[in-house]
Amino acid sequence: MADMNFSSLIGIADASVENSRLLSSAQTAKNLVNKAESSDGKNLRETFDAFVGETFYGQLLSAMRKTVGKPAYFHGGRAEEVFQGQMDQILAQKLTESTAAQFTQPMFELFELRRS
């Protein structure tokens, strides 16, 4: 019975981490939209690239993590699981800075057509 309670607590903690990650993404998107609406075209493009890139790479990293099991050795335990989301967020930001403009160009052009 104690194991079941511990397992349910871990499930609740995982759900809480996922909910906070989603809320953080929603707040980031809202901040980016507000920033883009009050800016010029170049800043709009940078904001668009940041939002699309971080969303794409964030989901990509999340999906990749779900397909890999825990290693037999060198696993950081619960602390690694908690901070892995932050690590993925930093990786998504870095990947966005380096490559997002390459695949967001067609989406941005469609976005601009709808705005005008």
Side-chain angles (χ1 to χ4, degrees):
M1 177 122 178
D3 290 335
M4 184 186 311
N5 289 336
F6 184 69
S7 297
S8 64
L9 287 175
I10 289 176
I12 291 169
D14 287 340
S16 176
V17 167
E18 186 65 27
N19 285 341
S20 67
R21 187 178 305 150
L22 290 173
L23 287 174
S24 174
S25 295
Q27 185 63 35
T28 301
K30 185 176 180 180
N31 291 341
L32 289 172
V33 167
N34 290 338
K35 181 180 172 184
E37 287 177 348
S38 64
S39 63
D40 60 351
K42 183 178 184 223
N43 199 9
L44 177 63
R45 175 60 197 258
E46 291 172 359
T47 304
F48 186 86
D49 288 349
F51 175 71
V52 172
E54 288 178 25
T55 302
F56 173 74
Y57 287 122
Q59 291 297 316
L60 176 76
L61 290 169
S62 176
M64 288 173 54
R65 297 265 187 220
K66 289 178 184 176
T67 63
V68 179
K70 294 179 184 176
Y73 302 104
F74 302 113
H75 185 261
R78 187 70 185 141
E80 180 179 339
E81 293 170 8
V82 169
F83 291 109
Q84 202 164 43
Q86 292 175 340
M87 175 70 165
D88 288 348
Q89 184 177 10
I90 298 297
L91 284 172
Q93 288 172 350
K94 296 297 181 184
L95 287 167
T96 297
E97 289 171 7
S98 62
T99 63
Q102 295 171 355
F103 73 88
T104 60
Q105 180 64 34
M107 288 187 279
F108 185 73
E109 289 171 1
L110 289 172
F111 175 73
E112 280 293 305
L113 287 174
R114 291 188 74 183
R115 285 188 68 206
S116 50

